[in-house]
């Protein structure tokens, strides 16, 4: 009986330790996603808001931003599937550096410029493909 109680205590303690580690991993992944995404989404918020009538823009923007935590949580799961907890910690350390902060700050601008470059490239690829049809 004493042995069974000891086994149960060990299992319960282990499950609390695993849960605490999972919580730390989840929290770190969510923080990383927020750091990376916060400025990246600003151009899209502005773009989407501009499509709404002026008198409704403020409430639209508020409602749109309220959806970010759900998106960040979904993205955090993706990051957790891709990176180990130690790697997430390393990425957080990088984004705390001056160049990491600059990268996070410029990510939205870089994404937009990258899409423009990609569209231009895609048009050239279509021209090349047309020659071979």
């Amino acid at each position: 009986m004493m042995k069974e109680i000891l086994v149960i205590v060990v299992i319960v303690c282990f499950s609390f330790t695993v849960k605490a580690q999972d919580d730390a991993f989840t929290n770190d992944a969510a923080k990383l996603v927020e750091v990376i995404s916060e400025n990246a989404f600003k151009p899209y918020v502005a773009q989407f808001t501009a499509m709404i009538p002026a008198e409704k823009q403020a409430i639209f923007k508020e409602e749109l931003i309220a959806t970010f935590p759900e998106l960040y949580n979904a993205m955090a799961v993706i990051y957790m599937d891709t990176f180990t907890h130690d790697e997430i910690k390393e990425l957080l350390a990088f984004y705390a550096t001056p160049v990491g902060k600059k990268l996070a700050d410029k990510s939205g601008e870089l994404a937009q410029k990258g899409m423009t470059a990609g569209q231009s490239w895609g048009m050239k690829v279509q021209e090349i493909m047309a020659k071979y049809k």
Side-chain angles (χ1 to χ4, degrees):
M1 181 71 168
M2 187 62 127
K3 197 178 206 180
E4 291 168 345
I5 292 173
L6 182 59
V7 169
I8 291 171
V9 169
V10 168
I11 290 171
V12 168
C13 289
F14 177 74
S15 65
F16 283 131
T17 303
V18 170
K19 176 70 173 146
Q21 289 172 347
D22 285 349
D23 287 347
F25 189 14
T26 300
N27 290 339
D28 286 345
K31 181 174 175 62
L32 176 63
V33 168
E34 185 175 350
V35 166
I36 292 170
S37 303
E38 187 174 25
N39 287 322
F41 290 144
K42 283 183 181 178
Y44 301 108
V45 170
Q47 183 180 1
F48 295 152
T49 302
M51 296 179 198
I52 303 299
E55 66 277 3
K56 297 178 182 177
Q57 286 182 354
I59 191 70
F60 167 79
K61 186 175 178 180
E62 185 178 313
E63 191 172 339
L64 176 63
I65 290 171
T67 67
F68 284 0
E70 182 180 345
L71 175 60
Y72 291 172
N73 288 338
M75 291 173 64
V77 171
I78 295 166
Y79 276 69
M80 291 170 67
D81 287 343
T82 306
F83 300 101
T84 66
H85 191 186
D86 285 340
E87 290 169 333
I88 295 282
K89 289 177 187 178
E90 288 181 41
L91 287 165
L92 282 169
F94 167 73
Y95 279 104
T97 68
V99 72
K101 288 177 184 177
K102 183 175 182 179
L103 178 60
D105 186 49
K106 299 290 183 181
S107 61
E109 180 183 332
L110 291 169
Q112 283 190 321
K113 288 179 179 179
M115 282 193 302
T116 301
Q119 288 171 346
S120 179
W121 175 77
M123 291 171 65
K124 287 180 183 177
V125 170
Q126 286 178 351
E127 290 172 14
I128 294 169
M129 290 172 66
K131 291 190 318 189
Y132 294 95
K133 287 187 176 183

